[in-house]
Structure formats: C-alpha cells, structure tokens
Amino acid sequence: MKIYPYKRLSRPITLRVTSVSLKLSDGTREPLDTSAYSVQEQAVALGVAGRADWVSATIGISATLPPGADAPDAAWSDLTVLAVLTDRDTNVRTSTVLTRDREDSRDWSGSLELHRDEHLGRAFLSAYAAGTVDGVRGRSITETDRNWIVDTVSDEPVRGLRLDVRKASFSKSSREWLHAYADAPWLADTTARVPTVFVNTDMDGIFGLLDSNGSGVESKVRDLLVAQMATDVWTAVFHSAIGDLEVEPGGGPVFPTDWQGEVLREMLPDVVPGVHVEEALRQVHRRRTGDSGWGELQTRIHYAAVRRAEAAKAVGYMIRSLERKNRESET
C-alpha cells in the first residue's frame, strides 16, 4: 500500500465498459453487441466480430466515484476523472477525461479510442480521480483497484491466463534453445508476450493424446496430462512474474499491468493466505530478495499451481475410471 502525504479517498473507483464499436478501414463504424465485453470478467474482446479490417476501437466508459468525493469539507478541489489505457508491450499510454453525468452525480462517463496499430495483444484500462490538494494540482485522490483487460485479438472476453500452445520437434526445431531439452515432453516459455507452451513431437503420441476427443480411460489420461502440464505452467509463470517486478523508490514492489499481474493476483491468495494481495506481494518479494523464507514458500507456490490446474479433480477422475475398469474386468 502506498502512503500519501495528504488525505485521499479510502475506497476505489468502480469502472464499467458500456459500449464497444470498431472503425473499419473504409471509415464506417460497426457497433459490437454485449458479447464483446464482460462485466463479471472485466474484459473486452475486440476479436469477437471476426473482422480483420478494423483500424480503431471506441470504448464507452462509466466510472462511479466512492462516497465523499464531493464532500463540502473534502481536502481537494478541481476534481477530475480520467480513464487510462496502458499497454506494457508497446509502451503506449492513452488517456481521456471523463465528464460528470449530472452536477450532483458520482457517475462520470466518456469514451476512449484505441488504435489497432499501437497494440499487440492485451492492454489494461483503469480510472483515476485527481484534484488540487494544498495548492498542488493533479494529485491522486483514488483509483480503480482492478483493471479492465482490453484484448485486441481474443474473440472471448476473459481475463484468465492465456496460453499459446505449439508443437515442435525439440531436437530439430529452428528454435535452437529447445535442442537442450530434447527429452522433455513440454516446456513453458515465459519470455514471450503471451506465455507459450511447447509440446515435444519427438515423443510419439503425446500431441495426439492432448488433442484427442476420446472417451473412457484415454480421456482421463489426457486430463491428467493436461493437469500436470498446467501445474508446470502456473508454477513457471508465477516465478517469472515475481522475478520481474518493478520496485518503487521506497523499495516496495509494484503489480505488473500485463499477464504477469493477473497471474500474481490469481495465485497470491493461496501463496500467502489471509492477507490482501498487496501485502501478499510485499511478503513474497521480501522472501525472494531477503536472506530466508523463499525456500519454505515453494510448497505454497506449488499448491497454488495445483489448485489452478485442478489436478486433484483429474487425479480423482483417473482413479475412479481405473477402479471401474478393474471391476468390469473381474466380472
């Protein structure tokens, strides 16, 4: 938690996307229906229209300030609310000033334009309230505590971890770094813009099994294999995210704004249970960079990965399937 030398609002801004439209290459606009965004997931999928000829997108936004923002005795004046779109991959940051809906309203609204050629995949939409405090303009009063995800590629508005799964011959791949891992069934590459899982086609049948729609024991083996792969991937992406944190001048870690931030927010409640994710991040960062405690935390990290991969469910299904098969063979 940041400490500010002036009074702020203690509660966050509530941010909503209210509409999405695409500007096409011929200058026309195509409004997207509500399937393009999800309030529950807090995500926008600009690929839902299946169009390849769009140039920009206009996102309608509504932000509700917490009570007290307009209090007569507030420590600030000249209240302003902004929506900000940030893309860590391209270092593009776009902002727009929102307008109060009514003079006595806590709701502010407006729209923000996203240009397609400025983004590669996911950007993050947030809102900030600023004002003049003690004669200093532009001081932060409050902000959203959870970003919306704006995905320029996806056709489904989800905020969960996206994985790019590819098959490759580890021994013959043009990616020479894979050659050293020729005996591994799969590997997770967390250096890519989107985490990528490479499945080793040198191992006969593995990709076919993962891609199969079989039933019975075969399907349970596939599910168990997928759960193991997912456990490995969740563990890898957590370590990648926690090892690449930006640190504030005071030494405190900052949540990343891309998929790494989503991974940390998803897993930290199981890694350090019972505390707010901001405090959990500080504790994990201290253990990783300090003299002790990092080794002991590995069990919690593995547990968090196992839960995300739903490995217990896959193991249970596999055991029940084998027991049923054994009973059938005995009769």
Side-chain angles (χ1 to χ4, degrees):
M1 178 181 294
K2 295 181 180 179
I3 298 177
Y4 294 83
Y6 55 88
K7 290 185 177 179
R8 299 176 80 244
L9 289 168
S10 59
R11 294 171 60 184
I13 297 173
T14 300
L15 180 64
R16 297 174 298 280
V17 168
T18 57
S19 65
V20 181
S21 66
L22 300 180
K23 182 179 179 181
L24 308 181
S25 56
D26 62 2
T28 60
R29 285 202 170 272
E30 178 177 331
L32 302 184
D33 61 28
T34 54
S35 65
Y37 55 94
S38 167
V39 175
Q40 181 177 359
E41 293 283 331
Q42 291 189 289
V44 178
L46 298 180
V48 72
R51 306 213 49 137
D53 59 341
W54 65 277
V55 178
S56 64
T58 300
I59 302 172
I61 298 165
S62 176
T64 301
L65 268 59
D70 301 7
D73 59 348
W76 51 83
S77 59
D78 306 322
L79 191 64
T80 302
V81 180
L82 303 95
V84 180
L85 187 74
T86 304
D87 191 321
R88 186 176 178 182
D89 292 324
T90 60
N91 291 321
V92 170
R93 186 179 176 92
T94 306
S95 63
T96 186
V97 177
L98 304 183
T99 303
R100 192 195 299 262
D101 291 356
R102 300 185 313 275
E103 185 176 347
D104 60 344
S105 175
R106 291 191 287 117
D107 296 325
W108 299 62
S109 58
S111 62
L112 184 145
E113 188 169 15
L114 173 156
H115 294 277
R116 185 179 185 180
D117 60 2
E118 294 180 343
H119 301 276
L120 295 174
R122 287 186 163 193
F124 298 85
L125 181 65
S126 52
Y128 299 84
T132 300
V133 182
D134 298 331
V136 180
R137 298 179 59 189
R139 283 190 153 174
S140 173
I141 305 303
T142 186
E143 58 279 317
T144 45
D145 62 351
R146 192 184 190 210
N147 300 324
W148 273 68
I149 291 173
V150 180
D151 197 315
T152 60
V153 178
S154 177
D155 58 2
E156 185 180 0
V158 294
R159 66 184 299 118
L161 178 64
R162 292 187 308 139
L163 296 175
D164 185 8
V165 180
R166 302 183 185 182
K167 55 183 178 180
S169 168
F170 284 17
S171 63
K172 302 174 184 176
S173 175
S174 59
R175 299 178 178 87
E176 294 186 0
W177 64 272
L178 284 174
H179 297 178
Y181 308 103
D183 58 345
W186 58 74
L187 282 176
D189 178 13
T190 60
T191 63
R193 179 178 57 84
V194 174
T196 302
V197 180
F198 290 98
V199 179
N200 189 358
T201 57
D202 293 338
M203 296 196 168
D204 291 340
I206 185 170
F207 200 85
L209 179 61
L210 290 171
D211 201 36
S212 70
N213 294 314
S215 58
V217 175
E218 180 182 303
S219 70
K220 303 305 182 290
V221 173
R222 181 196 61 221
D223 293 346
L224 191 61
L225 197 62
V226 169
Q228 180 60 57
M229 181 187 297
T231 299
D232 292 348
V233 171
W234 276 107
T235 303
V237 294
F238 182 87
H239 280 280
S240 175
I242 207 70
D244 194 29
L245 292 176
E246 294 183 6
V247 179
E248 294 178 318
V254 179
F255 266 105
T257 57
D258 57 4
W259 64 262
Q260 295 178 324
E262 291 302 312
V263 165
L264 293 176
R265 291 184 186 278
E266 178 75 14
M267 294 182 68
L268 281 171
D270 282 325
V271 177
V272 186
V275 301
H276 191 274
V277 290
E278 301 279 351
E279 173 59 25
L281 181 66
R282 286 194 292 271
Q283 289 189 27
V284 173
H285 178 68
R286 283 197 299 268
R287 293 196 188 189
R288 191 186 70 83
T289 58
D291 295 331
S292 63
W294 181 236
E296 291 83 349
L297 206 60
Q298 301 310 303
T299 301
R300 297 295 314 184
I301 295 171
H302 185 257
Y303 169 69
V306 166
R307 286 198 64 193
R308 296 304 167 289
E310 297 187 333
K313 183 188 297 184
V315 170
Y317 286 160
M318 182 66 188
I319 291 172
R320 286 192 292 273
S321 180
L322 289 174
E323 289 175 342
R324 184 166 56 250
K325 188 174 182 62
N326 290 336
R327 286 195 301 269
E328 292 172 353
S329 65
E330 292 172 356
T331 58

